[in-house]
Structure formats: C-alpha cells, structure tokens
Amino acid sequence: MSAQNYLAYDFPLLSAFWSMLWLFLWIMWFVLLFRVVLDIFRDDSLGGGAKAGWLVFCVVLPFLGVFVYVLARGRNRGRRESDRTRAQQQAFDSDVRETARGGEGRPSSVDELARLSEIGTRGDITDEEFRGAKELVLSGSGASGASAAGTPTSGR
C-alpha cells in the first residue's frame, strides 16, 4: 500500500470526509441525470426521434450523453424551465380567482358584502334592509338575495 493511500485511511475523519464527498457526487450525478431525462421528455421543440436519440445516448453512454446534452441544449433549458413555471403559476392564479368567485362567474360573498356596505353608507337602503340583505348573502343566496332584500333597482 502506498503512503498516499495509507494517509487517507490513517485519519478516520479524513476517510469519512472522502466517503461523504463521493456519496454527494453520486447523488448529484443522479439528480443531473434525472433532470436531463425529464427535460428530454418535457421539451416540446424536440420531435419523437430526437427525444428517442437523446434518451438512448443518455442511457447507453450516461456520462458522455449527459455531458453532451448539457453542452448542446443546456442554454435553453433554463428558459424552458422558467416558461413552464410561469405557465403553472398563471394556471394556479386563474384557478384561485375562479374558486374565489364561486366557480360560476358570479361575485363572491365578500364582494357582495362590500357592495352592500357601500350602498348602506350612501343611504340608499335602510339599516333593516341592509341587515336582511346581509343575512341573505351570508346564508348563500348570492346576488339575487340582495335585490330581494329591498335594494333599490334605480338610483336616487
């Protein structure tokens, strides 16, 4: 055994450091490999043959395949990732807005209560009418309940 190899195993802490370094490098390698494979499948600009070619290249010669893929297509990978994230965020935001509206395109009860409060402060309805309309909104009757509670249809 050479002195260089003996030195690494002579100190247990150094041996643990090297073992953890190699473990970290292997984990990072698998993370990179999986991200490249996912990018191959998610990329809409690649055709089926190109996807199959890249996938075979990355499976048969993984180190070389991933290295060449990152060099050849790595520049646009970040842009594709950010576009995908932006599209997911917009879809989530529209779902939240639709759910907040009640899913039927009608205003939410919070919007109706704000409108009733504004009508009440202007003095267009009495306190009794306001309380009745508020109860209808909170019970779930919606916008039709506000007009049934006596809110005037024509302004003063």
Side-chain angles (χ1 to χ4, degrees), residues 19-38:
S19 298
M20 290 181 68
L21 178 68
W22 281 111
L23 179 68
F24 174 75
L25 289 175
W26 273 106
I27 290 172
M28 289 306 298
W29 159 248
F30 281 113
V31 167
L32 179 64
L33 179 65
F34 289 137
R35 289 194 58 136
V36 165
V37 169
L38 284 175

Side-chain angles (χ1 to χ4, degrees), residues 60-97:
V60 172
L61 299 170
F63 290 109
L64 184 63
V66 168
F67 182 68
V68 170
Y69 184 84
V70 168
L71 287 178
R73 301 190 45 85
R75 176 176 294 184
N76 294 331
R77 197 166 86 64
R79 189 175 315 129
R80 288 190 300 268
E81 186 80 23
S82 65
D83 290 344
R84 188 177 312 111
T85 303
R86 191 175 304 115
Q88 288 175 345
Q89 184 65 41
Q90 288 173 350
F92 176 76
D93 290 345
S94 68
D95 285 347
V96 167
R97 275 190 227 101

